[in-house]
Amino acid sequence: MRSVRAALHEVDEERLLRLVAKGDRAAFEELYRRTSPWMAVRLRRRCGDEQIVAEVMQETYLAVWRAAGAFTGAAVGGSATGWLWTIAARRLVDAFRRRAHHAEPPPAAAPPGVAPAAEEEALAASVGGDVGDALRRLAPELRQVLQALVLDGLSVRETAVLLGLPEGTVKTRARRARIQMRRALA
């Protein structure tokens, strides 16, 4: 058992995912051991509720176990950690939506106006001050791209896949968002 773990210790995350897709529990345990600490830190930056973070972690790794075969990897310019983070980010948004849905007041008691989206809540919790204000003033489509690229650390290709946009559109929106952020912070 120890030699199997030692061998897995030297395997990269993409190869670990390929082994997980074949049902290799030791590979899954090694992938979890390597990625869960940074995953938890990134989730905590976006959500202060430990219960939600724990649920998202569990849902993420369950999805990884079930869908590791769907990982296309470097063939499409993605990385194993980017793929994991994409799953976790989606699960976090789902958790915020569920929480918002269960916390809604009855329609008669609801104040008029639009409630912030789950992404807005996550953004407000993770970025504050002048930068946070400038980021929240961006158009939603620009903010999404900037958040994925800068805050979530995804590549242009991973952002394009996550948002369902062409890579050129991601690059253009990122440039526009950065220009607007510079102006707002000047």
Side-chain angles (χ1 to χ4, degrees):
M1 183 72 158
R2 183 131 175 103
S3 63
V4 171
R5 285 190 181 160
L8 288 175
H9 185 70
E10 298 183 15
V11 174
D12 69 1
E13 286 83 5
E14 185 167 341
R15 180 73 181 127
L16 285 173
L17 272 174
R18 303 243 182 269
L19 292 170
V20 170
K22 294 177 183 176
D24 187 330
R25 286 185 181 268
F28 179 77
E29 289 172 7
E30 177 65 17
L31 182 69
Y32 181 84
R33 186 192 65 74
R34 284 188 202 178
T35 60
S36 63
W38 67 259
M39 178 84 66
V41 167
R42 289 183 85 174
L43 288 169
R44 284 184 190 112
R45 285 184 194 156
R46 286 152 185 80
C47 177
D49 187 330
E50 282 297 321
Q51 183 178 355
I52 290 176
V53 169
E55 288 173 14
V56 169
M57 291 281 290
Q58 183 176 6
E59 290 173 11
T60 298
Y61 285 99
L62 180 60
V64 167
W65 176 255
R66 289 180 176 166
F71 173 66
T72 52
V76 295
S79 68
T81 54
W83 186 72
L84 285 168
W85 177 246
T86 300
I87 293 170
R90 288 180 179 167
R91 296 297 187 270
L92 182 60
V93 169
D94 291 344
F96 279 131
R97 286 183 179 143
R98 280 192 306 270
R99 185 174 83 181
H101 174 72
H102 293 299
E104 288 183 286
V114 179
E119 293 85 352
E120 294 294 325
E121 290 180 24
L123 184 61
S126 66
V127 180
D130 293 340
V131 174
D133 292 340
L135 195 54
R136 284 185 284 280
R137 285 193 296 262
L138 287 175
E141 66 274 7
L142 300 181
R143 185 173 45 250
Q144 282 180 326
V145 168
L146 201 59
Q147 184 173 359
L149 289 171
V150 177
L151 298 177
D152 296 338
L154 300 179
S155 69
V156 169
R157 179 165 292 173
E158 291 165 341
T159 299
V161 170
L162 176 67
L163 300 176
L165 299 169
E167 287 182 44
T169 302
V170 169
K171 290 176 185 177
T172 301
R173 288 182 181 177
R175 184 174 188 284
R176 286 179 45 212
R178 287 182 176 121
I179 289 169
Q180 288 183 18
M181 288 290 291
R182 279 189 207 111
R183 286 182 186 149
L185 295 171

